[in-house]
Amino acid sequence: MIALSGALLPLISFLGRLPTAIIQMGSVLMVTRTSGSLATGGMVACALALGQVAMGPFVGRLADRHGQRRVVLVFALLNAVAIGAFTASALLGAVTPLLVLLGALAGASVPGIGPLARARVVALARRRRADDRLADAVMSLESTMDEVSFVLGPAAVGLAAVVGHPAYAMLLAAFLVAVCGTGFALHPTARTLEPAHADQQGKGSREQPRARAAEERARARGARRRMPRQVYVVRVGLVLLGVLLGGCGAGITALTEELGRPDQAGLVYAAMGVMSAVVGLSMVALPDRIGLLLRWRVATATAALLSLPLVWTESLAGLYFVVTVFGAVFAPNLITGFGLTERAVPRERLAEGMTFASSAFVGGQAVTLAVAGRLAESYGPAAAFAVGSTAAALAFVVALATRPGQGGGADQDTDPGAAPDRAVLGVPSEQTA
């Protein structure tokens, strides 16, 4: 994989996605501390995540149409400014509606470096006619980097809360997204997914620009009509996974508050991420005969079972133990969800498909943070954990009800190196068989 992209790209893409993890947890703790209300913190965090959900697919679509370089440059700088304004307003004691608006803007301007990095490296692999194992390795490493970012992000917020104030971590996020987002946009591999008409213009072909633009729009509309059903099934599973994580996040925050140790929330969250990252790295060692559909079913079933002990956890030591064990289920679910998405979406809509999958996950988490936060205040942490456990059970039902051959299949004519459709549903392709 390093031979595909170079050693610098994984580093800057990792640092560039850290701000997303920081602001999600940081917004909860910062607003909770400045306002004195966990419900307000959850509401603002929900607005931030919903802003990301609403704009994420649009950012991916822009990247597919105009290339990642220009899109990431603009959104990285906008995001740095939005995070700074949001942080300043919270520290100055702004009213809740203003905080909700600024939080939504901070989320809406997220440049989506994680899903765009997936799309970029997968495109590099497919161009070299790589088999599914390399594509799976891309998903494994990218998802593991997501998990590590969600370890270090909450850990940075927790450390900032102990040392001084969660706002310190928010300012770090603004700095990282400005510097590393710019580096990600300017990396030479950004040309990998440049649209064909941009290449022609770069070669000096300027004739009939309106006709070319109309043809490109028509082609894009046709591609959108060919999105297979399987993509939407996977998105439902990712939404439910987000609900699971949101319920856990609200429960962890509420329980640490109840135990008089609110500064431990970020560190408990980080402990969950450590286990998830370790398991994520090991996913690449699974043999080809264990298809994606089987992996999805096992991962969702395990999530449903391991989430149950959280409902009865009442001590800080017990919380650390149960959450750390439970962390093993997140990476397999995320890696499988993104793998299924990559197999199904048309090649020319890869960035959009990845950002939409990421937005589905974040959206489920966002809504749950607001709802479960209020439930936790009214009925205790167990209520928030129960919401997550129910979502995990529903995700298993969705995975169990999915049958091979149900998906419509991607437009494989756009990429001769793409995997056959039946690999989407966990049936080994001829190439891997």
Side-chain angles (χ1 to χ4, degrees), residues 1-15 17 120-121 124 128 141-142 145 183-184 187-189:
M1 289 176 57
I2 290 176
L4 284 175
S5 64
L8 182 61
L9 182 64
L11 176 63
I12 59 176
S13 72
F14 170 71
L15 294 176
R17 73 187 78 191
R120 188 184 296 188
V121 183
L124 285 169
R128 297 195 182 185
L141 181 59
E142 290 293 333
M145 286 198 290
F184 179 79
H187 193 273
T189 56

Side-chain angles (χ1 to χ4, degrees), residues 49-256:
L50 287 178
Q52 182 182 351
V53 170
M55 284 296 293
F58 179 68
V59 172
R61 186 172 297 175
L62 285 176
D64 282 332
R65 292 184 178 180
H66 304 289
Q68 291 189 7
R69 175 160 293 173
R70 285 179 291 176
V71 173
V72 175
L73 270 177
V74 171
F75 275 87
L77 296 178
L78 285 176
N79 193 228
V81 173
I83 294 172
F86 172 51
T87 303
S89 298
L91 293 175
L92 293 173
V95 295
T96 300
L98 179 58
L99 290 177
V100 169
L101 175 62
L102 292 175
L105 290 175
S109 56
V110 166
I113 291 176
L116 292 181
R118 281 183 177 87
R120 188 184 296 188
V121 183
V122 165
L124 285 169
R126 295 301 188 190
R127 280 191 177 186
R128 297 195 182 185
R129 302 296 188 266
D131 62 16
D132 289 344
R133 285 194 62 80
L134 183 55
D136 289 342
V138 170
M139 296 302 170
S140 180
L141 181 59
E142 290 293 333
S143 295
T144 300
M145 286 198 290
D146 282 346
E147 295 298 333
V148 174
S149 74
F150 279 95
V151 171
L152 296 183
V157 175
L159 181 61
V162 172
V163 173
H165 199 283
Y168 296 160
M170 299 291 285
L171 295 176
L172 173 63
F175 172 77
L176 284 176
V177 74
V179 174
C180 298
T182 300
F184 179 79
L186 297 179
H187 193 273
T189 56
R191 300 190 185 95
T192 302
L193 293 175
E194 287 289 332
H197 66 83
D199 295 339
Q200 294 170 359
Q201 288 174 351
K203 294 176 182 178
S205 177
R206 306 275 182 186
E207 68 278 3
Q208 299 178 341
R210 292 182 181 177
R212 282 202 306 274
E215 180 181 351
E216 193 67 26
R217 286 194 297 270
R219 186 188 65 80
R221 286 193 296 269
R224 284 196 291 274
R225 287 194 298 268
R226 292 193 296 271
M227 186 68 78
R229 292 188 303 275
Q230 178 64 19
V231 174
Y232 302 103
V233 176
V234 175
R235 287 174 186 170
V236 171
L238 289 171
V239 168
L240 292 170
L241 181 63
V243 173
L244 172 59
L245 185 59
C248 289
I252 289 169
T253 303
L255 184 55
T256 52

